[in-house]
Amino acid sequence: MRGANRNRLTPPAPGGWETLSTPNVLHDPWLRVEAEAVRTPAGTVLDPWWVLNLPDWLVVVAITRDQEVVLVRQWRQGARGFILEIPGGIMDVEDIDPIAAGSRELLEETGFAAEAWRLVGALWPDPARNNNRCHVVLGIGCHAVAAPRLEPGETLETVVLPMADIRRILRDGDMESTLHATGLLRGLCAAGILEF
């Protein structure tokens, strides 16, 4: 796992909370839950302070040669519905490069490949409780090269929309996932399509 200081017992940054203990409550290949005991600068001890240790994630802003955006409409069990998102997924343990992982995820989920790639940056999914990052990668010149190869836990369809529809989706809140909407905004800004 990459990102900020993942060693929970190191001294905190000035003004930060001191971690007193990090007992594991659940340890799974995809999730580790800790019931930390922490002390605030004012001396207040909070016990437990729940922390979710998750692998880093990534999202892909995939822009086609015709200035369309490749999206997925994916079943999300937590929301109990199909959610419009940009392609992405969990970075595997061996993934060092978010661009390589993004290229793989785009191909697996949609069958698209990009002519050029760029790392846009990273976001904290929930910095209060999660210690993972979500990397945003931009793929330019995307085009279909294969059929999608979905994993057993994926139920999704590929949706390719013109830029005018993307602007409406972002404006009207039709992309309901915070990370996906923010990643899409950052990617479109990095591509010079949107300005703030």
Side-chain angles (χ1 to χ4, degrees):
M1 296 181 207
R2 290 163 293 286
N5 183 2
R6 304 285 170 90
N7 182 349
R8 313 306 288 168
L9 294 176
T10 359
W17 293 4
E18 178 186 3
T19 304
L20 305 173
S21 66
T22 58
N24 280 314
V25 175
L26 171 71
H27 197 150
D28 175 271
W30 303 105
L31 168 69
R32 193 174 74 242
V33 179
E34 294 173 345
E36 293 188 345
V38 298
R39 183 179 7 252
T40 70
T44 304
V45 173
L46 304 171
D47 186 7
W49 185 266
W50 298 99
V51 174
L52 303 178
N53 292 276
L54 299 161
D56 279 5
W57 304 331
L58 65 93
V59 290
V60 179
V61 179
I63 302 172
T64 69
R65 295 168 174 166
D66 296 326
Q67 293 297 292
E68 299 168 313
V69 177
V70 181
L71 306 173
V72 294
R73 189 176 316 280
Q74 186 163 194
W75 177 263
R76 292 302 191 188
Q77 185 63 19
R80 302 294 198 273
F82 285 95
I83 304 295
L84 189 63
E85 301 175 344
I86 51 181
I90 293 173
M91 291 184 68
D92 296 335
V93 173
E94 64 273 3
D95 287 331
I96 297 170
D97 179 13
I99 291 175
S103 174
R104 181 191 67 234
E105 287 292 329
L106 180 65
L107 183 62
E108 287 176 2
E109 289 188 358
T110 69
F112 278 71
E115 295 170 355
W117 288 96
R118 179 173 160 199
L119 180 62
V120 174
L123 305 164
W124 288 104
D126 179 3
R129 303 281 179 192
N130 297 13
N131 74 346
N132 67 325
R133 303 280 285 179
C134 180
H135 304 274
V136 180
V137 296
L138 173 64
I140 302 291
C142 294
H143 54 284
V145 295
R149 294 184 325 265
L150 302 181
E151 295 178 10
E154 292 178 319
T155 303
L156 62 85
E157 67 172 320
T158 302
V159 179
V160 180
L161 295 177
M163 206 57 71
D165 287 350
I166 298 301
R167 291 173 191 267
R168 178 190 52 75
I169 285 167
L170 288 169
R171 183 190 67 232
D172 296 346
D174 293 336
M175 184 168 283
E176 298 174 288
S177 168
T178 306
L179 284 175
H180 290 264
T182 304
L184 181 55
L185 284 168
R186 288 194 61 189
L188 294 176
C189 288
I193 295 169
L194 289 181
E195 290 187 18
F196 284 98

